[in-house]
Amino acid sequence: MSGRSEERAKFLADRMLGTLTRRLRLMGYDTLSANSLFPGSRREDTVLLEIARTQGRILLTRDAELARRAGEQGVLVRSEQVDEQVAHLLGLGLVSLHLSFDRCSLCNTPLRPARRREIEGAAYAPEAREGLSFFWCPVCHRLYWMGSHTRRMREEMEKAGDE
């Protein structure tokens, strides 16, 4: 799998990897989640394998049997800690450590620059906006910006990359 270009890597995560899904989206990776695709069913594993195959996605799972069934297209994620999960994907050459704010962390939709009215209409937007870049999800209407939380995530990611 290390032959895949990380710029083009697309992922599909099982239900046990919600935090990793959100982190990969913030890193700019197109990442579908089983949680948002359909309610759980007995055929879920078969459906996930089919989606990964037809859409050219790497299946990320904590289920060893599902990873085995996915073969070269699957990655078994053993750790429960998101930083260790990202470090594992980094070690496989599937991702690079950067926060791009290209995608909504909730719905995976590509973000666009926020308009003034969207920033002003978001009750949770920071009062001090000088020097901040804002991004908007046109589907779930969520505002993103690069603030102190972004700096902390970057520092955590850099630390994970050094390990």
Side-chain angles (χ1 to χ4, degrees):
M1 276 194 279
S2 59
R4 272 188 198 266
S5 167
E6 59 90 8
E7 277 89 53
R8 296 183 43 213
K10 296 188 307 183
F11 300 100
L12 171 59
D14 73 11
R15 292 181 185 280
M16 296 176 271
L17 296 171
T19 303
L20 178 60
T21 297
R22 287 186 298 280
R23 179 70 59 90
L24 289 171
R25 288 172 178 170
L26 290 173
M27 292 168 63
Y29 292 97
D30 180 349
T31 307
L32 295 181
S33 170
N35 289 324
S36 63
L37 294 174
F38 45 79
S41 75
R42 292 186 327 218
R43 293 195 57 236
E44 183 169 310
D45 287 359
T46 302
V47 173
L48 291 176
L49 291 166
E50 180 66 14
I51 290 170
R53 186 186 63 75
T54 60
Q55 295 185 14
R57 293 180 181 275
I58 298 166
L59 179 59
L60 305 174
T61 181
R62 300 232 335 119
D63 181 333
E65 175 59 21
L66 181 56
R68 184 197 63 74
R69 288 176 61 197
E72 287 289 315
Q73 210 157 355
V75 172
L76 178 61
V77 178
R78 288 191 165 91
S79 176
E80 293 182 16
Q81 303 300 314
V82 71
D83 291 333
E84 292 173 8
Q85 293 168 346
V86 170
H88 178 64
L89 297 178
L90 178 67
L92 293 173
L94 296 174
V95 299
S96 62
L97 295 178
H98 67 280
L99 291 176
S100 65
F101 280 85
D102 291 331
R103 296 190 164 273
C104 178
S105 66
L106 299 178
C107 72
N108 199 42
T109 299
L111 299 176
R112 63 164 173 73
R115 296 182 180 113
R116 169 179 254 142
R117 65 179 161 74
E118 293 162 342
I119 298 167
E120 291 171 354
Y124 54 88
E127 291 291 323
R129 299 178 181 153
E130 187 76 26
L132 296 178
S133 297
F134 292 89
F135 306 91
W136 183 256
C137 177
V139 172
C140 66
H141 306 278
R142 182 172 174 86
L143 182 69
Y144 293 86
W145 66 94
M146 300 208 186
S148 61
H149 59 289
T150 310
R151 280 191 300 281
R152 280 192 304 277
M153 265 199 280
R154 279 202 171 110
E155 289 168 5
E156 289 170 12
M157 289 172 62
E158 287 170 5
K159 188 170 64 174
D162 293 339
E163 294 175 354

